[in-house]
Amino acid sequence: AQERARKIYKTNSTHFLTNGSTSGIIAAVLTCTNAGEKVLIWRNAHPCHLNAVRLAGAIPVFYDLETDEEWGIPTETPPEVIERYIKAYEIKTVIITSPTYEGIVSDIRKIKKICETYNAYLIVDEAHGALYPFSDRLPESAVNIADFTIQSLHKTAGGLNPTALLHSSCNLNPEKALNMIN
């Protein structure tokens, strides 16, 4: 079934998660990050982002997002902010949330291009965008752009709680890390 899912999503690998997106975030960080390396995360991200960095023995570097004055919600992650942090702190891995809980989407293609320029991995927490790959009317999914994309099927795609998917579009396979945390 995972092989069929991999073909549907056109990824290098797709893994079913029974512990929600949290286990996918942890597995992705453990797969591409070594102890002592720096990982860029949004200060108000889901707690599993920081927990994953700590479990990897990596060093968290935090960035903040601007708040939309009218709505009082965080805006998208600006690619230039990611580039500034990668350059200043020698970031190895970047984790972003897109869409946010409020549905704000970031420009994953631009952020991925920046990550490639500086040899950094990109992990996208797409927990609230599980249906994005299946409609041109929805924002573009990170599944075939980011190195790792994690989606929660139980949040927006009708999956039983807490089903999720971990997609890898790079040459790293998170199998070993998944076996450690499942």
Side-chain angles (χ1 to χ4, degrees):
Q2 288 183 146
E3 180 61 23
R4 287 177 54 201
R6 182 195 69 75
K7 288 178 183 175
I8 289 168
Y9 286 97
K10 299 176 181 81
T11 60
N12 287 352
S13 67
T14 293
H15 295 274
F16 298 160
L17 306 171
T18 56
N19 293 320
S21 287
T22 294
S23 60
I25 296 290
I26 292 169
V29 172
L30 290 173
T31 300
C32 68
T33 308
N34 296 312
E37 293 177 336
K38 295 176 184 163
V39 179
L40 183 61
I41 59 177
W42 173 38
R43 187 171 310 279
N44 291 325
H46 190 280
C48 74
H49 295 197
L50 179 57
N51 291 341
V53 173
R54 288 178 175 158
L55 285 170
I59 302 164
V61 176
F62 298 98
Y63 70 93
D64 292 307
L65 292 177
E66 292 184 21
T67 300
D68 180 279
E69 291 181 26
E70 181 180 356
W71 292 95
I73 61 173
T75 59
E76 73 278 349
T77 302
E80 53 277 1
V81 168
I82 299 299
E83 184 168 29
R84 185 171 63 240
Y85 274 88
I86 289 176
K87 287 167 69 172
Y89 296 99
E90 298 180 22
I91 301 294
K92 171 68 176 186
T93 302
V94 174
I95 309 172
I96 67 166
T97 302
S98 180
T100 63
Y101 308 118
E102 299 84 9
I104 305 298
V105 179
S106 296
D107 190 334
I108 303 301
R109 284 198 182 276
K110 283 185 180 176
I111 293 170
K112 175 58 178 162
K113 201 170 253 190
I114 290 165
C115 289
E116 286 175 343
T117 300
Y118 297 97
N119 295 315
Y121 289 101
L122 176 60
I123 299 171
V124 176
D125 182 343
E126 194 174 79
H128 290 84
L131 295 176
Y132 284 10
F134 302 106
S135 175
D136 293 337
R137 294 181 178 189
L138 295 171
E140 184 176 33
S141 174
V143 167
N144 301 118
I145 302 168
D147 296 297
F148 297 95
T149 303
I150 298 86
Q151 298 174 321
S152 290
L153 300 179
H154 65 276
K155 291 183 179 170
T156 58
L160 296 174
N161 196 21
T163 58
L165 299 173
L166 168 57
H167 304 284
S168 174
S169 291
C170 65
N171 60 355
L172 300 177
N173 188 330
E175 188 83 33
K176 183 178 177 183
L178 284 169
N179 287 332
M180 288 178 17
I181 59 176
N182 282 331

